[in-house]
Coordinates of all heavy atoms in Angstrom, one line a residue:
E99 N 95.1 91.5 106.2 CA 94.5 90.8 107.4 C 94.2 89.3 107.0 O 94.4 88.4 107.9 CB 93.2 91.5 107.8 CG 92.6 90.8 109.1 CD 91.2 91.4 109.4 OE1 90.8 92.3 108.7 OE2 90.6 90.8 110.3
L102 N 97.4 87.3 107.5 CA 97.8 87.3 108.9 C 96.9 86.3 109.7 O 97.3 85.6 110.5 CB 97.8 88.7 109.5 CG 99.0 89.5 109.0 CD1 98.8 91.0 109.4 CD2 100.3 89.0 109.5
N103 N 95.6 86.4 109.4 CA 94.6 85.5 110.1 C 94.9 84.1 109.7 O 94.8 83.2 110.5 CB 93.2 85.9 109.7 CG 92.7 87.2 110.3 OD1 93.4 87.8 111.1 ND2 91.5 87.6 109.9
Y104 N 95.2 83.9 108.4 CA 95.5 82.5 108.0 C 96.8 82.0 108.7 O 96.8 80.9 109.2 CB 95.7 82.6 106.4 CG 96.2 81.2 105.9 CD1 95.3 80.3 105.4 CD2 97.6 81.0 105.8 CE1 95.8 79.1 104.9 CE2 98.1 79.8 105.3 CZ 97.1 78.8 104.8 OH 97.6 77.6 104.3
A105 N 97.8 82.8 108.8 CA 99.0 82.4 109.4 C 98.8 82.0 110.8 O 99.3 81.0 111.3 CB 100.0 83.6 109.3
E106 N 98.0 82.8 111.6 CA 97.8 82.5 113.0 C 97.0 81.2 113.1 O 97.3 80.3 114.0 CB 97.0 83.6 113.7 CG 96.8 83.4 115.1 CD 96.3 84.6 115.8 OE1 96.4 85.7 115.3 OE2 95.7 84.5 117.0
A107 N 96.0 81.0 112.3 CA 95.2 79.8 112.4 C 95.9 78.6 112.0 O 95.9 77.6 112.7 CB 93.9 80.0 111.4
K110 N 98.5 77.6 114.8 CA 97.8 77.0 115.9 C 97.3 75.6 115.6 O 97.4 74.7 116.5 CB 96.7 77.9 116.4 CG 97.1 79.3 116.9 CD 97.9 79.1 118.2 CE 98.2 80.5 118.8 NZ 98.9 80.4 120.1
W152 N 106.2 83.1 117.0 CA 105.1 83.9 117.7 C 105.5 85.3 117.9 O 104.7 86.2 117.7 CB 104.7 83.2 118.9 CG 103.5 83.8 119.5 CD1 103.4 84.5 120.7 CD2 102.1 83.8 119.0 NE1 102.1 84.9 120.9 CE2 101.3 84.5 119.9 CE3 101.6 83.2 117.8 CZ2 100.0 84.7 119.6 CZ3 100.2 83.4 117.6 CH2 99.4 84.1 118.5
Y155 N 105.4 87.0 114.6 CA 104.0 87.1 114.1 C 103.3 88.2 114.8 O 102.6 89.1 114.2 CB 103.3 85.8 114.3 CG 101.8 86.0 113.9 CD1 101.4 86.1 112.6 CD2 100.8 86.1 115.0 CE1 100.0 86.3 112.3 CE2 99.5 86.3 114.7 CZ 99.1 86.4 113.4 OH 97.8 86.6 113.1
T156 N 103.3 88.3 116.1 CA 102.6 89.3 116.9 C 103.1 90.7 116.6 O 102.3 91.6 116.5 CB 102.6 89.0 118.4 OG1 104.0 88.9 118.8 CG2 101.9 87.7 118.8
R159 N 101.8 91.6 113.0 CA 100.4 92.0 113.1 C 100.2 93.4 113.6 O 99.4 94.2 113.1 CB 99.6 91.0 113.9 CG 98.1 91.1 113.8 CD 97.3 90.0 114.5 NE 95.9 90.2 114.4 CZ 95.2 89.7 113.4 NH1 95.7 88.9 112.4 NH2 93.9 89.9 113.3
M160 N 101.0 93.7 114.6 CA 100.9 95.1 115.2 C 101.3 96.1 114.2 O 100.7 97.2 114.1 CB 101.8 95.1 116.4 CG 101.8 96.5 117.1 SD 103.0 96.6 118.5 CE 104.6 96.4 117.6
L163 N 98.7 96.0 110.8 CA 97.3 96.4 111.1 C 97.3 97.6 112.0 O 96.2 97.9 112.6 CB 96.6 95.3 111.6 CG 96.5 94.0 110.7 CD1 95.7 92.9 111.4 CD2 95.9 94.3 109.4
G167 N 92.1 99.1 114.4 CA 91.1 98.6 115.3 C 91.3 97.2 115.8 O 90.4 96.6 116.4
H168 N 92.5 96.6 115.5 CA 92.7 95.2 115.8 C 93.4 94.9 117.2 O 93.2 93.9 117.8 CB 93.5 94.5 114.7 CG 92.8 94.4 113.4 ND1 91.9 93.4 113.1 CD2 92.9 95.2 112.3 CE1 91.4 93.6 111.9 NE2 92.0 94.7 111.4
R169 N 94.3 95.9 117.5 CA 95.2 95.7 118.6 C 94.4 95.4 119.9 O 94.8 94.6 120.7 CB 96.1 96.9 118.8 CG 97.2 96.7 119.8 CD 98.2 95.7 119.4 NE 99.4 95.6 120.3 CZ 100.3 94.7 120.3 NH1 100.2 93.7 119.4 NH2 101.2 94.6 121.2
F170 N 93.3 96.2 120.1 CA 92.5 96.0 121.3 C 92.1 94.6 121.5 O 92.1 94.0 122.6 CB 91.3 96.9 121.2 CG 90.3 96.8 122.3 CD1 90.4 97.7 123.3 CD2 89.3 95.9 122.3 CE1 89.4 97.7 124.4 CE2 88.4 95.8 123.3 CZ 88.5 96.7 124.4
W171 N 91.7 93.9 120.4 CA 91.2 92.5 120.5 C 92.3 91.5 120.4 O 92.2 90.5 121.1 CB 90.2 92.3 119.3 CG 89.1 93.3 119.3 CD1 88.9 94.3 118.4 CD2 88.0 93.3 120.2 NE1 87.8 95.0 118.7 CE2 87.2 94.4 119.8 CE3 87.6 92.6 121.3 CZ2 86.0 94.8 120.5 CZ3 86.4 92.9 122.0 CH2 85.7 94.0 121.6
D172 N 93.4 91.8 119.7 CA 94.5 90.8 119.5 C 95.1 90.6 120.9 O 95.3 89.4 121.3 CB 95.5 91.4 118.6 CG 95.1 91.3 117.1 OD1 94.0 90.6 116.8 OD2 95.7 92.0 116.3
V173 N 95.5 91.6 121.6 CA 96.2 91.4 122.9 C 95.3 90.6 123.9 O 95.8 89.8 124.6 CB 96.6 92.8 123.5 CG1 97.1 92.6 124.9 CG2 97.7 93.4 122.6
R174 N 94.0 90.9 123.9 CA 93.1 90.2 124.8 C 93.0 88.7 124.3 O 92.9 87.8 125.2 CB 91.8 90.9 124.8 CG 91.8 92.2 125.6 CD 90.6 93.1 125.4 NE 90.6 94.2 126.3 CZ 91.4 95.3 126.1 NH1 92.2 95.3 125.1 NH2 91.3 96.3 127.0
R175 N 92.9 88.5 123.0 CA 92.8 87.1 122.6 C 94.0 86.3 122.9 O 93.9 85.1 123.2 CB 92.6 87.1 121.0 CG 92.3 85.7 120.4 CD 92.0 85.8 119.0 NE 93.1 86.1 118.1 CZ 93.4 87.2 117.5 NH1 92.5 88.3 117.8 NH2 94.4 87.4 116.8
W176 N 95.2 86.9 122.9 CA 96.4 86.2 123.2 C 96.7 86.2 124.6 O 97.7 85.5 125.0 CB 97.6 86.9 122.4 CG 97.5 87.0 121.0 CD1 96.8 86.1 120.1 CD2 98.0 88.0 120.1 NE1 96.9 86.5 118.8 CE2 97.6 87.7 118.8 CE3 98.7 89.2 120.3 CZ2 98.0 88.5 117.7 CZ3 99.0 90.0 119.2 CH2 98.7 89.6 117.9
K177 N 95.9 86.8 125.5 CA 96.2 86.9 126.9 C 97.6 87.5 127.2 O 98.3 87.0 128.0 CB 96.1 85.5 127.6 CG 94.7 84.9 127.4 CD 93.6 85.7 128.2 CE 92.3 84.9 128.2 NZ 91.7 84.6 126.9
E178 N 97.9 88.6 126.5 CA 99.2 89.3 126.6 C 98.9 90.7 127.1 O 99.6 91.7 126.6 CB 99.9 89.2 125.3 CG 100.4 87.8 124.9 CD 101.2 87.7 123.6 OE1 101.5 88.8 123.1 OE2 101.5 86.6 123.2
G179 N 98.0 90.9 128.0 CA 97.7 92.2 128.5 C 98.8 93.0 129.2 O 98.7 94.2 129.3
F182 N 100.1 96.2 127.8 CA 99.5 97.5 128.1 C 99.9 98.2 129.4 O 99.4 99.3 129.7 CB 97.9 97.3 128.1 CG 97.3 97.0 126.8 CD1 96.1 96.3 126.7 CD2 97.9 97.4 125.6 CE1 95.6 96.0 125.5 CE2 97.4 97.1 124.4 CZ 96.2 96.4 124.3
W209 N 96.6 98.0 133.9 CA 96.0 96.8 133.3 C 95.6 95.9 134.4 O 96.3 95.7 135.4 CB 97.0 96.1 132.3 CG 96.5 94.8 131.9 CD1 96.8 93.6 132.4 CD2 95.5 94.6 130.9 NE1 96.1 92.6 131.8 CE2 95.2 93.2 130.9 CE3 94.8 95.4 130.1 CZ2 94.3 92.6 130.0 CZ3 93.8 94.8 129.2 CH2 93.6 93.5 129.2
D211 N 93.9 91.9 134.7 CA 93.5 90.7 133.9 C 92.0 90.5 133.8 O 91.6 89.7 132.9 CB 94.1 89.4 134.6 CG 95.6 89.3 134.4 OD1 96.2 90.2 133.5 OD2 96.3 88.5 135.0
M213 N 90.2 92.4 132.5 CA 89.8 93.0 131.2 C 89.9 92.1 130.0 O 89.5 92.4 128.9 CB 90.8 94.2 130.9 CG 90.7 95.3 132.0 SD 89.0 96.0 132.3 CE 88.8 96.8 130.7
Y214 N 90.3 90.8 130.3 CA 90.3 89.8 129.2 C 88.8 89.5 128.8 O 88.6 89.0 127.8 CB 91.0 88.6 129.6 CG 92.5 88.7 129.6 CD1 93.3 88.3 130.7 CD2 93.2 89.3 128.5 CE1 94.7 88.4 130.7 CE2 94.6 89.4 128.6 CZ 95.3 89.0 129.6 OH 96.7 89.1 129.7
F215 N 87.9 89.7 129.8 CA 86.5 89.3 129.6 C 85.6 90.5 130.0 O 86.0 91.3 130.9 CB 86.1 88.1 130.4 CG 86.9 86.9 130.1 CD1 88.0 86.6 130.9 CD2 86.6 86.1 129.1 CE1 88.8 85.4 130.7 CE2 87.4 84.9 128.8 CZ 88.5 84.6 129.6

Side-chain angles (χ1 to χ4, degrees):
E99 183 189 353
L102 289 169
N103 289 356
Y104 174 90
E106 184 171 340
K110 294 295 185 179
W152 186 248
Y155 171 78
T156 54
R159 191 173 179 90
M160 178 183 68
L163 302 179
H168 295 277
R169 188 69 176 166
F170 178 94
W171 304 106
D172 288 345
V173 171
R174 286 163 173 79
R175 184 174 74 256
W176 300 329
K177 300 295 189 299
E178 295 181 2
F182 289 154
W209 171 260
D211 285 351
M213 301 302 293
Y214 287 133
F215 301 97

